[in-house]
Amino acid sequence: MMNTLPSTRLTSFPAMAADSPLPPQAASHALDNMSASTLLSLLESATTYQRDFVERSVLFWDVLRRRANNMIEHENAGLPPLLNFKYELLLDGRQFERPANYALLRITQAGDVCWDDCVDPEKPPVIVLDPRAGHGPGLGGFKRDSEVGVALHTGHPVYFVVFFPEPCPHQKIADVLDVLKVFVARVAELHGGRKPILYGNCQAGWAVTLLSAASPGLPGPVVLNGSPLSYWSGEPGINPMRIMAGFGGGVWLAHFLSDLNRGRFDGAWLVQNFEMLKPGNAIWDKYAKLFGEIDTEQERFLDFERWWNGFYRLSTEEIVAISEDLFIGNRLEQGNFRLDSESTVDLKRITNPLVVFASYGDNITPPHQALGWIPAVYGNTDALKSAGQRIVYLTNPHVGHLGIFVSASVARLEHRAILEHLDRIQALPPGLYEMKIENPTHDPDCRKDQYTVHFEPRSVEQVRFEYPEQAFARVQEISEHFEGIYRAVFSPWVKALATPWLSSWLHWMHPMRVKTYMWSEAFLPWMHVISAWADAIRCNRTAAPPELPFKDAERSVAADVSAFWETARKVRDAAQERAFKELYVN
């Protein structure tokens, strides 16, 4: 009301003057009143905004304090999986003959709804696998509207594969696959031999793909969500992670960090790489959003950050194989991924249907990396059909990498549509198809006939993406050269110098941890004052109206800073692409 008062006087005064001219003294008096009213309104707005700004500032720093305490509490509790569903432990891979730090969970309850109330025993079971990419498990069941939630809602028995923070000593990818084979066989046994549907999220996608190729016929349909299988592919200037090995010498650096940490690679390094893809979001955007919407954003921010700052480890053997054979070597699509010294994996051996879900808004695993392996493996459409394989792909135009797994709207639409039409997918003739959803709905309680799905045939040539293959092959050669030198000459010395004290110091002094836990009152005692002040503010919070002019100015400044960081990122990525081209292409 106070903001509209000055404008009302401004519009009414000239009209009044035109209809019935005022004496000069009366007009001057009206102008003085208008100026005083405008000034009073401005002062009231400034006072309201100032109070709101101070309150939001205190609440903002208190959220950072709570995030730090959450991180420390989560670490002290052993970093348990962050599932929003009740579960029971069925199998612990650490107890197997060839141990791996994986476990099989059975989802038993979703809120107040138990297993028997929502599960149809005639439907095939679903096994969700989360990626070991630095974070802990939980993405696929992070909230009710998730892959786990949608599978339960549509009547499927649901199982979840988790992993523990520490790998087993000298754990290898082959050990992990052996454990996963036992898990899949056990779930099939519990459901009368029905082959389970495997959901592979991000890095877990290549794991279930390897499993399908190494044990043909064991799993049922496989859904690959944002899963990279063609690591050299991508769009210049948009997917910079694929070229980063060309500037660090390759796999030796990951090997060195693992040796320093006594045979374990800290996942915080991987998460730091993810943040550097979009530094503006890590440094500014997410905090600006929290500050600007502090009354509604706190819990969402804290829930996500609890997962984002829970860092898990991989063994030296795992990180070296992943980096050398997948990210740098790109051996998976070439059919020479080495499980051990005697066997390799050929994706042509896969017989179960594959559903590939990717997004053009994903700068970590774009459709190029999710689909580019198909022409590399099969060559052409006739070869795919001759192999008797069915591959269906589905793309989203804008959702980001994490949104593929955690977005409620994606769970209610794409993931639901996939599960509800798997029977049709399995009945398709061999070939490549694009899945199209018409009349989409995000209502979790909608009927299947309220939206339609059809499958359009595609040729393998349509998902062929060009990239400078020889340049990436040269990066691979350089990586193998440096890794050979490091392994033979330096690795024994680094291992000899690594101590438990050094390992602990590297753990707690990693920048990804320091920037988070430093705001806890355990490290900054004066944060107790912030905590008490924040409690008092919550009891008597006075939020400024969003239409306040000063808040408009604040949002404008925040948008300008965000635009600056985005421009800086684009300039950096373009410079890296040019440098990579000069080093390895020209």
Side-chain angles (χ1 to χ4, degrees), residues 306-377:
R306 185 191 295 271
W307 174 78
W308 186 255
N309 292 290
F311 308 119
Y312 282 49
R313 292 186 172 90
L314 295 90
S315 69
T316 299
E317 290 80 1
E318 287 179 301
I319 191 63
V320 169
I322 292 170
S323 301
E324 194 169 55
D325 288 351
L326 296 178
F327 290 104
I328 300 174
N330 197 34
R331 290 194 172 103
L332 188 57
E333 70 173 20
Q334 298 169 6
N336 57 3
F337 181 90
R338 300 168 294 186
L339 275 183
D340 50 47
S341 58
E342 299 180 355
S343 61
T344 58
V345 174
D346 185 355
L347 298 186
K348 288 182 180 179
R349 298 184 62 201
I350 300 176
T351 58
N352 47 313
L354 301 179
V355 180
V356 180
F357 179 28
S359 172
Y360 286 97
D362 184 351
N363 66 331
I364 295 178
T365 306
H368 308 67
Q369 293 188 5
L371 299 170
W373 63 276
I374 299 174
V377 171

Side-chain angles (χ1 to χ4, degrees), residues 211-354:
L211 176 64
S212 300
S215 302
L218 178 63
V222 166
V223 182
L224 305 174
N225 299 308
S227 300
L229 299 181
S230 182
Y231 295 88
W232 291 352
S233 190
E235 191 171 348
I238 296 179
N239 310 119
M241 186 172 284
R242 66 198 180 107
I243 67 174
M244 295 313 298
F247 302 110
V251 71
W252 78 269
L253 184 57
H255 195 167
F256 169 67
L257 293 172
S258 297
D259 287 343
L260 278 181
N261 208 11
R262 298 169 60 82
R264 302 167 303 167
F265 181 82
D266 191 349
W269 293 110
L270 298 176
V271 181
Q272 182 172 280
N273 286 340
F274 295 146
E275 287 204 343
M276 290 307 296
L277 282 175
K278 286 193 172 183
N281 180 69
I283 296 172
W284 176 258
D285 289 348
K286 68 177 182 179
Y287 297 111
K289 180 176 177 62
L290 173 65
F291 182 77
E293 304 173 23
I294 196 68
D295 297 301
T296 58
E297 187 69 8
Q298 294 184 47
E299 297 308 317
R300 190 212 63 81
F301 177 87
L302 290 172
D303 284 345
F304 181 79
E305 290 288 306
R306 185 191 295 271
W307 174 78
W308 186 255
N309 292 290
F311 308 119
Y312 282 49
R313 292 186 172 90
L314 295 90
S315 69
T316 299
E317 290 80 1
E318 287 179 301
I319 191 63
V320 169
I322 292 170
S323 301
E324 194 169 55
D325 288 351
L326 296 178
F327 290 104
I328 300 174
N330 197 34
R331 290 194 172 103
L332 188 57
E333 70 173 20
Q334 298 169 6
N336 57 3
F337 181 90
R338 300 168 294 186
L339 275 183
D340 50 47
S341 58
E342 299 180 355
S343 61
T344 58
V345 174
D346 185 355
L347 298 186
K348 288 182 180 179
R349 298 184 62 201
I350 300 176
T351 58
N352 47 313
L354 301 179

